[in-house]
Amino acid sequence: MTNDQELKAREAADDKMIGDAFQHLLDTYINSRHRKKVDIITKAFNFARQAHKGVRRLSGEPYIMHPIAVAQIACEEVGLGSTSICAALLHDVVEDTDYTTEDIDNIFGPKVANIVDGLTKISGGIFGDRASAQAENFKKLLLMMSDDIRVILIKICDRLHNMRTLASQPANKQYKIAGETLYIYAPLANRLGLNKIKTELEDLSFRYEHPDEYASIERKLASTQASRHTLFDEFTAPIREALDKMGIKYTIKERVKSPYSIWCKMQNKHVTFDEIYDILAVRIIFCPKERENEINECFNIYVAISKIYKSHPDRLRDWLNHPKANGYQALHVTLMSHQGRWIEVQIRSDRMDEIAEQGFAAHWKYKEGESGEIAEDDGELNDWLHTIKEILDDPQPDAMDFLDAIKLNLFASEIFVFTPKGEIKTMPAGCTALDFAFSIHTFLGSHCIGAKVNHKLVPLSHKLESGDQVEIITSKSQHVQPSWINFVYTAKAKAKIQAILRRENRELQKQGEEALSAFLKKNGMEYTNAAVDKLMAFHNVSKREDLFQAIGEKMIIPGEKDLDELKGKKKKEGGLKWRKFVPFIGGGKQKKEGGKQPQLLVLPDTFNRKKPIFITDDNIGQYKFMFCCHPIPGDDILGFIDNKKQIEIHKRACPVATKLKASYGNRILDAKWDMHKKLYFDATVRIEGIDRIGMLNEVTRVISEQMNISIHKVAISCGEGIFDGTIELRVHDRDDVRSIIENLKKVTGVQDVSQIM
């Protein structure tokens, strides 16, 4: 076959693939509940296909397949209509081609154009010369979202397809995209009630960031599937019998905990896969006889099944009368099965189930041709969007602070708090009395001196619980204190406090900057950005505003040491704490030739960020190993290029690394271990159990004699027949730690062993 023939055959195959995908989209749309506007969708498809002609994705498929896939998700999995489908088909046109938003407006109208504009990345920004393009684009998304929620819904569809096709990306991009997804987009999907999409985003992120753990959990889920089916059938048989007698039309589904949720529980609770009891849950979905009576019917089903199985007294969750902030409604009850296992049962109507799977999109029911604004009765969502707007009106100058402020608002766990008049307010779990005050009014929060919770006086920092009745006490003489930021939880309260403090601090910062400028001028030096940066590092200050404010408050008084620093004296390290690895050989510190420590690697501008870096026994001293997560060989790790072009090493699951992936993804590197068990590293395990004579001797014998591991330090305390403590070890890698944990768990009386770092 000639080259021309091969090219024609490939084009024909591409045309068929594109045609089939678009026809599938049209078929899905025609079978939906939306008004049928096939012409405008076809017009958008043809326009996008022409605009992206000749362009291919990294996977090799024609680029137009991506917009079609995003539109398919928007239509099929989120339930959006023709305006959203058109915007999804066109979402990359302005960014990747010569067409402008005005062109889209002229051809498809202002609604589609506004959504496309909200989905188009931006240049320039609010965060100054240390800008995070990711934070900028996310800010723009949120600004557009508060006007038309479809912007963020389509962006979530876009992200889901990118995650489904992430295999074609290099590893450093995979970590950046997966980290950003876990930090921002999965919580957003959850907050909007898109439960299925949220779960898939989490699992895909987990799969790319921790492939070995993901594969291990998948294998264990597959191997225990038969026993779960048996348990499900035996548990639900008497329930089915009871529901049939009641004449209820229902379906019962088996819900299996997702791999990511299982892994999170294993990490947080320090348990193995076999120790997680709630992998299986049962979902009862019924068609109510009377729609207005569906809540009562949920409780009737609960009463019927609690006669069959004993219910857990502390695990009844009523989201029927007070739905979650994302619209979720259901009644959760945990029952003791005849096999001696606690099993959670979720009771919901078919309407509630649709909202649980598709979120608010299931009942927004946008009317095509009308605005994409939220209906008046979606009060919870309106409140949330209003808070987002308030944060955007006065954004944090630092990119990671800004993302943190937004992230705090994507809460999943809620409590219900009552005002003195008995009105109910939804608040995030963990909130304080001061959070509650700011949620009602900024004036109330800024003048709050305390609160009465259930008629008892409590401080501002008192954490609220569901069912509390709260009365805020104020004083005109009270004003916002910097310490308040440490005990508020909600994004709204943090944003308000920071905004008030910034207004008060601006004058001090101005005075400080003027004082620094005068000091430099007096000593014959020029006031420059480089000079300020040097002084920031010297005083271990991360932001210019903090330096100016400290000078304005006379906390820092420029003097001779500052002049010496500016003239070239070696400066201190600032920012996050890190260490050079000083490994151990045979129990002693490793000696370097000539007594010299290896220098930290400084990357050249020509460094290829797509290639992985390999950490070896010889070059390990060239990297910064961060104290925030204490990575050792065997951990899933990544590299981050800091402002000095040196490489920080973090665990991929490290909270700091998660923020870095979401804020500065272009600086993420793929890092791999290439160690050969020559060096030893510090690791700590926690151990607890039932005390007995000889217990400590047996524990140390298992570590030292059986496993030939060096014990560095032991701290054990005993009381009332129980012991707990920590053991610091020197190990080759994380596999050694896992082996130690497995062997210690076999010791009689040891109840739990977990790694700390």
Side-chain angles (χ1 to χ4, degrees), residues 121-148:
K121 292 188 181 121
I122 55 176
S123 57
I126 60 168
F127 297 118
D129 56 0
R130 298 193 179 185
S132 160
Q134 288 165 275
E136 290 288 0
N137 290 322
F138 190 56
K139 176 177 184 286
K140 183 183 178 187
L141 266 177
L142 292 171
L143 280 168
M144 298 299 293
M145 178 186 79
S146 57
D147 292 325
D148 192 331

PDB file of all heavy atoms in Angstrom, residues 121-148:
ATOM      1  N   LYS A 121      -8.659  29.330  29.070  1.00  0.00           N
ATOM      2  CA  LYS A 121      -7.585  29.734  29.970  1.00  0.00           C
ATOM      3  C   LYS A 121      -7.213  31.184  29.728  1.00  0.00           C
ATOM      4  O   LYS A 121      -7.417  31.729  28.649  1.00  0.00           O
ATOM      5  CB  LYS A 121      -6.359  28.843  29.770  1.00  0.00           C
ATOM      6  CG  LYS A 121      -6.581  27.409  30.216  1.00  0.00           C
ATOM      7  CD  LYS A 121      -5.289  26.632  30.183  1.00  0.00           C
ATOM      8  CE  LYS A 121      -5.542  25.199  30.616  1.00  0.00           C
ATOM      9  NZ  LYS A 121      -5.187  24.234  29.624  1.00  0.00           N
ATOM     10  N   ILE A 122      -6.602  31.803  30.733  1.00  0.00           N
ATOM     11  CA  ILE A 122      -6.282  33.232  30.659  1.00  0.00           C
ATOM     12  C   ILE A 122      -4.790  33.460  30.829  1.00  0.00           C
ATOM     13  O   ILE A 122      -4.063  32.606  31.311  1.00  0.00           O
ATOM     14  CB  ILE A 122      -7.039  34.014  31.753  1.00  0.00           C
ATOM     15  CG1 ILE A 122      -6.746  33.414  33.133  1.00  0.00           C
ATOM     16  CG2 ILE A 122      -8.513  34.042  31.488  1.00  0.00           C
ATOM     17  CD1 ILE A 122      -7.361  34.162  34.276  1.00  0.00           C
ATOM     18  N   SER A 123      -4.344  34.642  30.415  1.00  0.00           N
ATOM     19  CA  SER A 123      -2.959  35.057  30.654  1.00  0.00           C
ATOM     20  C   SER A 123      -2.999  36.311  31.514  1.00  0.00           C
ATOM     21  O   SER A 123      -3.978  37.034  31.545  1.00  0.00           O
ATOM     22  CB  SER A 123      -2.255  35.344  29.332  1.00  0.00           C
ATOM     23  OG  SER A 123      -2.969  36.331  28.625  1.00  0.00           O
ATOM     24  N   GLY A 124      -1.885  36.570  32.217  1.00  0.00           N
ATOM     25  CA  GLY A 124      -1.892  37.697  33.154  1.00  0.00           C
ATOM     26  C   GLY A 124      -2.569  37.271  34.431  1.00  0.00           C
ATOM     27  O   GLY A 124      -3.162  36.212  34.499  1.00  0.00           O
ATOM     28  N   GLY A 125      -2.471  38.074  35.527  1.00  0.00           N
ATOM     29  CA  GLY A 125      -3.125  37.581  36.727  1.00  0.00           C
ATOM     30  C   GLY A 125      -3.109  38.466  37.942  1.00  0.00           C
ATOM     31  O   GLY A 125      -2.647  39.593  37.900  1.00  0.00           O
ATOM     32  N   ILE A 126      -3.615  37.923  39.042  1.00  0.00           N
ATOM     33  CA  ILE A 126      -3.767  38.682  40.280  1.00  0.00           C
ATOM     34  C   ILE A 126      -2.664  38.391  41.280  1.00  0.00           C
ATOM     35  O   ILE A 126      -2.579  39.046  42.301  1.00  0.00           O
ATOM     36  CB  ILE A 126      -5.123  38.359  40.960  1.00  0.00           C
ATOM     37  CG1 ILE A 126      -5.207  36.876  41.296  1.00  0.00           C
ATOM     38  CG2 ILE A 126      -6.279  38.824  40.131  1.00  0.00           C
ATOM     39  CD1 ILE A 126      -6.357  36.509  42.199  1.00  0.00           C
ATOM     40  N   PHE A 127      -1.831  37.379  41.002  1.00  0.00           N
ATOM     41  CA  PHE A 127      -0.881  36.963  42.015  1.00  0.00           C
ATOM     42  C   PHE A 127       0.527  37.518  41.781  1.00  0.00           C
ATOM     43  O   PHE A 127       1.487  37.035  42.365  1.00  0.00           O
ATOM     44  CB  PHE A 127      -0.818  35.428  42.093  1.00  0.00           C
ATOM     45  CG  PHE A 127      -2.131  34.817  42.517  1.00  0.00           C
ATOM     46  CD1 PHE A 127      -2.823  33.966  41.681  1.00  0.00           C
ATOM     47  CD2 PHE A 127      -2.678  35.110  43.754  1.00  0.00           C
ATOM     48  CE1 PHE A 127      -4.024  33.409  42.081  1.00  0.00           C
ATOM     49  CE2 PHE A 127      -3.872  34.556  44.157  1.00  0.00           C
ATOM     50  CZ  PHE A 127      -4.543  33.712  43.320  1.00  0.00           C
ATOM     51  N   GLY A 128       0.690  38.493  40.902  1.00  0.00           N
ATOM     52  CA  GLY A 128       1.979  39.156  40.744  1.00  0.00           C
ATOM     53  C   GLY A 128       3.008  38.292  40.048  1.00  0.00           C
ATOM     54  O   GLY A 128       2.693  37.386  39.293  1.00  0.00           O
ATOM     55  N   ASP A 129       4.304  38.567  40.344  1.00  0.00           N
ATOM     56  CA  ASP A 129       5.371  37.916  39.592  1.00  0.00           C
ATOM     57  C   ASP A 129       5.599  36.468  40.008  1.00  0.00           C
ATOM     58  O   ASP A 129       6.375  35.763  39.396  1.00  0.00           O
ATOM     59  CB  ASP A 129       6.689  38.708  39.708  1.00  0.00           C
ATOM     60  CG  ASP A 129       7.101  38.917  41.161  1.00  0.00           C
ATOM     61  OD1 ASP A 129       6.360  38.455  42.049  1.00  0.00           O
ATOM     62  OD2 ASP A 129       8.153  39.540  41.393  1.00  0.00           O
ATOM     63  N   ARG A 130       4.944  36.038  41.080  1.00  0.00           N
ATOM     64  CA  ARG A 130       5.028  34.620  41.457  1.00  0.00           C
ATOM     65  C   ARG A 130       3.693  33.952  41.165  1.00  0.00           C
ATOM     66  O   ARG A 130       3.160  33.207  41.963  1.00  0.00           O
ATOM     67  CB  ARG A 130       5.410  34.480  42.924  1.00  0.00           C
ATOM     68  CG  ARG A 130       6.779  35.075  43.202  1.00  0.00           C
ATOM     69  CD  ARG A 130       7.301  34.677  44.549  1.00  0.00           C
ATOM     70  NE  ARG A 130       8.619  35.255  44.755  1.00  0.00           N
ATOM     71  CZ  ARG A 130       9.375  35.009  45.805  1.00  0.00           C
ATOM     72  NH1 ARG A 130       8.952  34.197  46.736  1.00  0.00           N
ATOM     73  NH2 ARG A 130      10.553  35.555  45.937  1.00  0.00           N
ATOM     74  N   ALA A 131       3.172  34.267  40.020  1.00  0.00           N
ATOM     75  CA  ALA A 131       1.808  33.850  39.675  1.00  0.00           C
ATOM     76  C   ALA A 131       1.699  32.340  39.513  1.00  0.00           C
ATOM     77  O   ALA A 131       2.621  31.673  39.082  1.00  0.00           O
ATOM     78  CB  ALA A 131       1.378  34.530  38.384  1.00  0.00           C
ATOM     79  N   SER A 132       0.570  31.813  39.886  1.00  0.00           N
ATOM     80  CA  SER A 132       0.219  30.428  39.588  1.00  0.00           C
ATOM     81  C   SER A 132      -0.863  30.474  38.525  1.00  0.00           C
ATOM     82  O   SER A 132      -1.985  30.903  38.789  1.00  0.00           O
ATOM     83  CB  SER A 132      -0.310  29.723  40.837  1.00  0.00           C
ATOM     84  OG  SER A 132      -1.049  28.586  40.468  1.00  0.00           O
ATOM     85  N   ALA A 133      -0.500  30.039  37.322  1.00  0.00           N
ATOM     86  CA  ALA A 133      -1.483  30.067  36.231  1.00  0.00           C
ATOM     87  C   ALA A 133      -2.680  29.197  36.568  1.00  0.00           C
ATOM     88  O   ALA A 133      -3.819  29.507  36.219  1.00  0.00           O
ATOM     89  CB  ALA A 133      -0.827  29.593  34.940  1.00  0.00           C
ATOM     90  N   GLN A 134      -2.429  28.083  37.295  1.00  0.00           N
ATOM     91  CA  GLN A 134      -3.541  27.194  37.663  1.00  0.00           C
ATOM     92  C   GLN A 134      -4.545  27.915  38.565  1.00  0.00           C
ATOM     93  O   GLN A 134      -5.752  27.821  38.375  1.00  0.00           O
ATOM     94  CB  GLN A 134      -3.003  25.960  38.378  1.00  0.00           C
ATOM     95  CG  GLN A 134      -2.284  24.987  37.461  1.00  0.00           C
ATOM     96  CD  GLN A 134      -1.484  23.998  38.272  1.00  0.00           C
ATOM     97  OE1 GLN A 134      -0.363  24.263  38.652  1.00  0.00           O
ATOM     98  NE2 GLN A 134      -2.054  22.853  38.531  1.00  0.00           N
ATOM     99  N   ALA A 135      -4.020  28.646  39.552  1.00  0.00           N
ATOM    100  CA  ALA A 135      -4.913  29.375  40.463  1.00  0.00           C
ATOM    101  C   ALA A 135      -5.668  30.459  39.717  1.00  0.00           C
ATOM    102  O   ALA A 135      -6.846  30.716  39.969  1.00  0.00           O
ATOM    103  CB  ALA A 135      -4.118  29.968  41.619  1.00  0.00           C
ATOM    104  N   GLU A 136      -4.985  31.113  38.771  1.00  0.00           N
ATOM    105  CA  GLU A 136      -5.627  32.156  37.969  1.00  0.00           C
ATOM    106  C   GLU A 136      -6.814  31.589  37.196  1.00  0.00           C
ATOM    107  O   GLU A 136      -7.908  32.154  37.178  1.00  0.00           O
ATOM    108  CB  GLU A 136      -4.624  32.738  36.948  1.00  0.00           C
ATOM    109  CG  GLU A 136      -3.520  33.572  37.564  1.00  0.00           C
ATOM    110  CD  GLU A 136      -4.029  34.900  38.051  1.00  0.00           C
ATOM    111  OE1 GLU A 136      -5.227  35.181  37.912  1.00  0.00           O
ATOM    112  OE2 GLU A 136      -3.234  35.665  38.591  1.00  0.00           O
ATOM    113  N   ASN A 137      -6.570  30.467  36.527  1.00  0.00           N
ATOM    114  CA  ASN A 137      -7.622  29.878  35.700  1.00  0.00           C
ATOM    115  C   ASN A 137      -8.776  29.378  36.556  1.00  0.00           C
ATOM    116  O   ASN A 137      -9.939  29.482  36.178  1.00  0.00           O
ATOM    117  CB  ASN A 137      -7.047  28.725  34.862  1.00  0.00           C
ATOM    118  CG  ASN A 137      -6.117  29.237  33.789  1.00  0.00           C
ATOM    119  OD1 ASN A 137      -6.374  30.273  33.190  1.00  0.00           O
ATOM    120  ND2 ASN A 137      -5.018  28.552  33.562  1.00  0.00           N
ATOM    121  N   PHE A 138      -8.444  28.846  37.731  1.00  0.00           N
ATOM    122  CA  PHE A 138      -9.495  28.369  38.624  1.00  0.00           C
ATOM    123  C   PHE A 138     -10.318  29.546  39.132  1.00  0.00           C
ATOM    124  O   PHE A 138     -11.541  29.449  39.260  1.00  0.00           O
ATOM    125  CB  PHE A 138      -8.865  27.600  39.782  1.00  0.00           C
ATOM    126  CG  PHE A 138      -9.877  26.880  40.623  1.00  0.00           C
ATOM    127  CD1 PHE A 138     -10.750  25.972  40.052  1.00  0.00           C
ATOM    128  CD2 PHE A 138      -9.970  27.114  41.979  1.00  0.00           C
ATOM    129  CE1 PHE A 138     -11.688  25.307  40.809  1.00  0.00           C
ATOM    130  CE2 PHE A 138     -10.905  26.453  42.752  1.00  0.00           C
ATOM    131  CZ  PHE A 138     -11.757  25.545  42.166  1.00  0.00           C
ATOM    132  N   LYS A 139      -9.664  30.668  39.411  1.00  0.00           N
ATOM    133  CA  LYS A 139     -10.380  31.871  39.858  1.00  0.00           C
ATOM    134  C   LYS A 139     -11.358  32.331  38.767  1.00  0.00           C
ATOM    135  O   LYS A 139     -12.513  32.665  39.036  1.00  0.00           O
ATOM    136  CB  LYS A 139      -9.398  32.995  40.173  1.00  0.00           C
ATOM    137  CG  LYS A 139     -10.095  34.301  40.556  1.00  0.00           C
ATOM    138  CD  LYS A 139      -9.072  35.353  40.935  1.00  0.00           C
ATOM    139  CE  LYS A 139      -9.764  36.629  41.411  1.00  0.00           C
ATOM    140  NZ  LYS A 139     -10.363  37.424  40.366  1.00  0.00           N
ATOM    141  N   LYS A 140     -10.891  32.309  37.522  1.00  0.00           N
ATOM    142  CA  LYS A 140     -11.764  32.733  36.421  1.00  0.00           C
ATOM    143  C   LYS A 140     -12.965  31.790  36.294  1.00  0.00           C
ATOM    144  O   LYS A 140     -14.103  32.230  36.099  1.00  0.00           O
ATOM    145  CB  LYS A 140     -10.984  32.765  35.111  1.00  0.00           C
ATOM    146  CG  LYS A 140     -11.829  33.259  33.939  1.00  0.00           C
ATOM    147  CD  LYS A 140     -11.075  33.214  32.634  1.00  0.00           C
ATOM    148  CE  LYS A 140     -11.987  33.668  31.501  1.00  0.00           C
ATOM    149  NZ  LYS A 140     -11.382  33.486  30.182  1.00  0.00           N
ATOM    150  N   LEU A 141     -12.702  30.494  36.431  1.00  0.00           N
ATOM    151  CA  LEU A 141     -13.784  29.514  36.385  1.00  0.00           C
ATOM    152  C   LEU A 141     -14.849  29.822  37.435  1.00  0.00           C
ATOM    153  O   LEU A 141     -16.048  29.797  37.154  1.00  0.00           O
ATOM    154  CB  LEU A 141     -13.223  28.117  36.671  1.00  0.00           C
ATOM    155  CG  LEU A 141     -12.820  27.231  35.500  1.00  0.00           C
ATOM    156  CD1 LEU A 141     -12.244  25.943  36.032  1.00  0.00           C
ATOM    157  CD2 LEU A 141     -13.999  26.942  34.597  1.00  0.00           C
ATOM    158  N   LEU A 142     -14.396  30.116  38.646  1.00  0.00           N
ATOM    159  CA  LEU A 142     -15.331  30.378  39.736  1.00  0.00           C
ATOM    160  C   LEU A 142     -16.100  31.674  39.512  1.00  0.00           C
ATOM    161  O   LEU A 142     -17.282  31.769  39.846  1.00  0.00           O
ATOM    162  CB  LEU A 142     -14.578  30.433  41.068  1.00  0.00           C
ATOM    163  CG  LEU A 142     -13.998  29.089  41.530  1.00  0.00           C
ATOM    164  CD1 LEU A 142     -13.093  29.290  42.723  1.00  0.00           C
ATOM    165  CD2 LEU A 142     -15.098  28.109  41.864  1.00  0.00           C
ATOM    166  N   LEU A 143     -15.420  32.677  38.958  1.00  0.00           N
ATOM    167  CA  LEU A 143     -16.112  33.930  38.649  1.00  0.00           C
ATOM    168  C   LEU A 143     -17.248  33.687  37.667  1.00  0.00           C
ATOM    169  O   LEU A 143     -18.360  34.195  37.829  1.00  0.00           O
ATOM    170  CB  LEU A 143     -15.124  34.954  38.064  1.00  0.00           C
ATOM    171  CG  LEU A 143     -14.239  35.692  39.065  1.00  0.00           C
ATOM    172  CD1 LEU A 143     -13.123  36.427  38.336  1.00  0.00           C
ATOM    173  CD2 LEU A 143     -15.062  36.681  39.879  1.00  0.00           C
ATOM    174  N   MET A 144     -16.960  32.890  36.623  1.00  0.00           N
ATOM    175  CA  MET A 144     -17.979  32.595  35.619  1.00  0.00           C
ATOM    176  C   MET A 144     -19.049  31.668  36.201  1.00  0.00           C
ATOM    177  O   MET A 144     -20.224  31.786  35.890  1.00  0.00           O
ATOM    178  CB  MET A 144     -17.341  31.930  34.389  1.00  0.00           C
ATOM    179  CG  MET A 144     -16.324  32.781  33.671  1.00  0.00           C
ATOM    180  SD  MET A 144     -17.024  34.318  33.019  1.00  0.00           S
ATOM    181  CE  MET A 144     -18.127  33.673  31.774  1.00  0.00           C
ATOM    182  N   MET A 145     -18.624  30.759  37.096  1.00  0.00           N
ATOM    183  CA  MET A 145     -19.559  29.809  37.684  1.00  0.00           C
ATOM    184  C   MET A 145     -20.649  30.519  38.470  1.00  0.00           C
ATOM    185  O   MET A 145     -21.803  30.093  38.470  1.00  0.00           O
ATOM    186  CB  MET A 145     -18.804  28.848  38.605  1.00  0.00           C
ATOM    187  CG  MET A 145     -19.682  27.829  39.306  1.00  0.00           C
ATOM    188  SD  MET A 145     -18.779  26.833  40.495  1.00  0.00           S
ATOM    189  CE  MET A 145     -18.687  27.947  41.879  1.00  0.00           C
ATOM    190  N   SER A 146     -20.276  31.603  39.156  1.00  0.00           N
ATOM    191  CA  SER A 146     -21.262  32.288  39.985  1.00  0.00           C
ATOM    192  C   SER A 146     -22.338  32.953  39.125  1.00  0.00           C
ATOM    193  O   SER A 146     -23.407  33.290  39.618  1.00  0.00           O
ATOM    194  CB  SER A 146     -20.574  33.314  40.888  1.00  0.00           C
ATOM    195  OG  SER A 146     -19.838  34.230  40.129  1.00  0.00           O
ATOM    196  N   ASP A 147     -22.059  33.126  37.829  1.00  0.00           N
ATOM    197  CA  ASP A 147     -23.075  33.647  36.911  1.00  0.00           C
ATOM    198  C   ASP A 147     -23.813  32.514  36.192  1.00  0.00           C
ATOM    199  O   ASP A 147     -24.999  32.610  35.909  1.00  0.00           O
ATOM    200  CB  ASP A 147     -22.423  34.573  35.869  1.00  0.00           C
ATOM    201  CG  ASP A 147     -21.897  35.844  36.499  1.00  0.00           C
ATOM    202  OD1 ASP A 147     -22.531  36.329  37.455  1.00  0.00           O
ATOM    203  OD2 ASP A 147     -20.855  36.342  36.062  1.00  0.00           O
ATOM    204  N   ASP A 148     -23.084  31.459  35.857  1.00  0.00           N
ATOM    205  CA  ASP A 148     -23.692  30.333  35.136  1.00  0.00           C
ATOM    206  C   ASP A 148     -22.997  29.054  35.587  1.00  0.00           C
ATOM    207  O   ASP A 148     -21.845  28.797  35.245  1.00  0.00           O
ATOM    208  CB  ASP A 148     -23.527  30.522  33.623  1.00  0.00           C
ATOM    209  CG  ASP A 148     -24.384  29.537  32.831  1.00  0.00           C
ATOM    210  OD1 ASP A 148     -24.634  28.432  33.338  1.00  0.00           O
ATOM    211  OD2 ASP A 148     -24.799  29.881  31.709  1.00  0.00           O
TER     212      ASP A 148
END
